[in-house]
Amino acid sequence: QVQLVESGGGLVQPGGSLTLSCAASGSTLDYYAINWVRQAPGKEREGVSCISSSDGSTTYYADSVKGRFTISRDNVKNTVYLQMNNLKPEDTAVYYCATDGWFCRPLEVTEFPGSWGQGTQVTVSS
């Protein structure tokens, strides 16, 4: 079973940037699509982005983050990244990465039977 650890969260002003990392151990990430999901207090879990397995040639983004967030993977480092630019207060949430099968599912799906990280807090505030 692969273990995931997220990092890179923090406090940033509106318009700022952060890069989240999802580092894996125990197994290679090559065979998994990787999802980023977020949950704000009092709100439902929201699918943010997904990258397909292997070469990560297919990526998906929620409309709310399209054009601002970029997902990528480095299979040598066994890590998936979420570059977040032009952050807005509504991006404030705990961000989780999770493994799924070979392909990405629709982002409306936020329950995954694979591995989850512990989450990293992102706070966007002035």
Side-chain angles (χ1 to χ4, degrees):
Q1 182 89 359
V2 61
Q3 290 85 44
L4 303 176
V5 176
E6 300 98 336
S7 62
L11 173 64
V12 63
Q13 292 186 341
S17 298
L18 286 173
T19 300
L20 305 184
S21 299
C22 174
S25 61
S27 180
T28 178
L29 283 182
D30 292 20
Y31 307 120
Y32 299 100
I34 304 298
N35 295 270
W36 283 99
V37 175
R38 67 186 181 187
Q39 188 160 24
K43 294 188 177 181
E44 292 188 352
R45 193 177 291 173
E46 177 189 13
V48 174
S49 184
C50 182
I51 187 167
S52 59
S53 59
S54 187
D55 62 2
S57 57
T58 306
T59 57
Y60 300 90
Y61 298 93
D63 288 343
S64 58
V65 307
K66 203 170 291 183
R68 300 187 296 121
F69 289 12
T70 303
I71 191 171
S72 62
R73 65 190 303 154
D74 185 334
N75 289 340
V76 173
K77 293 184 178 180
N78 221 22
T79 301
V80 172
Y81 303 96
L82 186 68
Q83 171 70 41
M84 306 186 296
N85 297 326
N86 191 20
L87 282 161
K88 303 176 180 181
E90 51 263 42
D91 296 318
T92 296
V94 178
Y95 285 70
Y96 301 89
C97 58
T99 63
D100 201 359
W102 191 260
F103 300 106
C104 290
R105 308 189 202 202
L107 291 179
E108 293 76 16
V109 176
T110 58
E111 296 294 332
F112 304 104
S115 299
W116 287 74
Q118 82 290 351
T120 185
Q121 175 71 46
V122 172
T123 303
V124 184
S125 175
S126 55

